[in-house]
Amino acid sequence: MLFAIIIAIAAFVIISASFVVLRRDRNAELIIDGDAKTPEVVDVADVEMSAPTEVREIEDPSQRPTFRDRLTTARSSLSGFLGGVFSGGINTDTWESLEEALIRADIGVATSTEIMEAVKAEAEAGDVTESENLVGLVKDQLVDRLSGFDRSLSTDVIAAGGEPGPAVWLFVGVNGVGKTTTIGKLASRETAAGKSLVLAAGDTFRAAAAEQLTMWAERSDVHIVRGAKGADPSSVVFDAVESANARNADLVLADTAGRLQTKMNLMEELSKVRRVAEKGAGTVTETLLVVDATTGQNGMSQAKQFADAVDVTGVVLTKLDGSAKGGIVIAIHSELGLPVKLVGLGEGINDLVEFDEREFVEALFE
């Protein structure tokens, strides 16, 4: 009995000792090296940021939305406008109704009149007597007015008159049209295509813009350069170009302000941004005007102001899937002489697509 008690006490002592050693070893793992430096807390708004690596969502071409599927709102609206035009025989009222329908679709008064007169001349020359046969003539006129434009997005700095270095795409437009989202979607697409990118958060007057662009940079695993709130936008874009050159990056996507909080004219500021962007190693190969398709003729008014102030090379038309008046596409080409290069057909990352004039026109009438 005594022997059993001695054995139990000995076992208890051994287990207790093992527990003490185990706790000592675990605590040792938590000791911080006394020679290690305390991390420096830095305001991310004052420095360049490099986005953490994530698994990037690779764009799948099969997921590309079609114009036919996404333009149901515009198609329904246009059908309502033209419903009474393409039925019955052709008379004076037919031409007046056609012109009115095109104007209501936001094609613009002058352009609508030109299209009506061209269709009328072709109908008379072809001895067309039934209005239902006018559909093909109207479609041909619309396609013709949308054809012959260069819709490519260039990164050829030599063709743009520059020296070897990163290409720069500037994005301009008023606040709320979708500039930052457009840049984010393009960043995903261009990196998936194999290009190396740097993003420039040039809208320094709106903190949310820089934060949003940073999230897109993280999503696409690309570098972003941003400045403190209210900093000179030109300096941010310049630093982004220099950073891209140092990294041997192919392309800089630069956001710009849509509204200034000073008395300085916005158009003057945008002109300055463009000049400064080319003072270093970069060359501006695209200046893309972003327009909200749902704004109709108000969007056209904005487009004219920007086109007069900066050397716009093309238009990105966002929210086209939600617009009831797709005629703004024709108006931009006819009145401004600018190509719509990209259109937004939804909120998804793959929903920013190249504009195709034939697919667009067919989608409006199918």
Side-chain angles (χ1 to χ4, degrees):
M1 182 66 178
L2 179 62
F3 179 75
I5 294 173
I6 294 174
I7 293 298
I9 294 173
F12 176 77
V13 171
I14 292 173
I15 292 173
S16 299
S18 299
F19 180 73
V20 171
V21 171
L22 178 62
R23 285 182 61 86
R24 184 189 62 191
D25 292 341
R26 290 184 62 187
N27 289 337
E29 295 176 0
L30 299 177
I31 296 176
I32 299 176
D33 183 2
D35 295 329
K37 294 182 179 179
T38 302
E40 182 181 1
V41 179
V42 181
D43 184 357
V44 296
D46 295 327
V47 299
E48 295 182 354
M49 295 179 60
S50 181
T53 301
E54 292 182 356
V55 178
R56 185 168 68 247
E57 179 179 350
I58 302 300
E59 183 160 316
D60 181 359
S62 66
Q63 296 177 354
R64 176 189 179 276
T66 65
F67 283 81
R68 186 180 185 281
D69 290 341
R70 299 298 177 87
L71 296 187
T72 54
T73 302
R75 181 165 57 248
S76 298
S77 179
L78 186 62
S79 296
F81 297 151
L82 295 173
V85 178
F86 300 142
S87 61
I90 297 177
N91 51 44
T92 303
D93 291 340
T94 301
W95 306 120
E96 293 179 356
S97 297
L98 175 59
E99 183 179 17
E100 180 184 352
L102 296 175
I103 292 173
R104 291 175 65 188
D106 259 350
I107 290 178
V109 176
T111 304
S112 296
T113 301
E114 291 173 5
I115 293 175
M116 182 274 292
E117 291 177 346
V119 171
K120 181 180 179 181
E122 289 188 34
E124 292 175 347
D127 197 25
V128 177
T129 59
E130 295 298 321
S131 58
E132 62 184 18
N133 296 324
L134 297 178
V135 178
L137 299 180
V138 173
K139 289 165 65 174
D140 289 344
Q141 278 295 318
L142 295 180
V143 171
D144 183 63
R145 290 173 182 276
L146 295 173
S147 300
F149 291 87
D150 180 8
R151 304 190 193 280
S152 64
L153 293 172
S154 175
T155 56
D156 190 342
V157 296
I158 304 301
E163 300 292 332
V168 181
W169 293 354
L170 291 178
F171 294 80
V172 300
V174 299
N175 285 347
V177 295
K179 292 194 302 297
T180 306
T181 300
T182 295
I183 293 172
K185 291 180 179 181
L186 273 176
S188 176
R189 193 183 80 169
E190 295 301 314
T191 52
K195 289 188 177 67
S196 55
L197 270 65
V198 170
L199 305 187
D203 187 355
T204 60
F205 302 100
R206 194 167 60 93
E211 296 298 333
Q212 185 182 5
L213 199 62
T214 298
M215 288 190 293
W216 279 108
E218 293 172 352
R219 187 172 185 178
S220 297
D221 190 21
V222 298
H223 186 67
I224 181 170
V225 175
R226 52 185 288 185
K229 187 176 186 302
D232 181 7
S234 299
S235 66
V236 175
V237 174
F238 180 85
D239 289 345
V241 172
E242 295 305 295
S243 176
N245 189 54
R247 294 166 176 268
N248 292 318
D250 303 311
L251 179 62
V252 176
L253 304 184
D255 196 5
T256 62
R259 178 178 62 85
L260 300 183
Q261 294 177 347
T262 66
K263 294 182 179 180
M264 179 180 291
N265 184 279
L266 175 59
M267 302 308 168
E268 292 178 1
E269 178 64 30
L270 293 177
S271 297
K272 175 186 174 184
V273 169
R274 180 186 173 89
R275 292 195 304 271
V276 173
E278 295 189 312
K279 281 190 174 181
T283 302
V284 177
T285 58
E286 295 285 351
T287 302
L288 298 171
L289 172 61
V290 184
V291 177
D292 182 346
T294 64
T295 59
Q297 286 300 309
N298 287 334
M300 276 298 299
S301 177
Q302 296 168 11
K304 290 176 182 177
Q305 294 178 40
F306 280 94
D308 290 341
V310 294
D311 187 16
V312 175
T313 58
V315 173
V316 179
L317 199 59
T318 62
K319 310 175 189 177
L320 186 59
D321 58 310
S323 173
K325 299 180 179 181
I328 187 175
V329 175
I330 294 94
I332 288 172
H333 288 80
S334 298
E335 296 182 26
L336 300 182
L338 293 173
V340 172
K341 296 195 173 187
L342 299 167
V343 293
L345 297 180
E347 297 180 358
I349 197 168
N350 297 316
D351 291 340
L352 184 68
V353 301
E354 293 88 355
F355 180 75
D356 184 287
E357 60 268 23
R358 292 191 178 276
E359 187 180 352
F360 168 74
V361 171
E362 289 297 330
L364 288 179
F365 288 88
E366 286 183 356

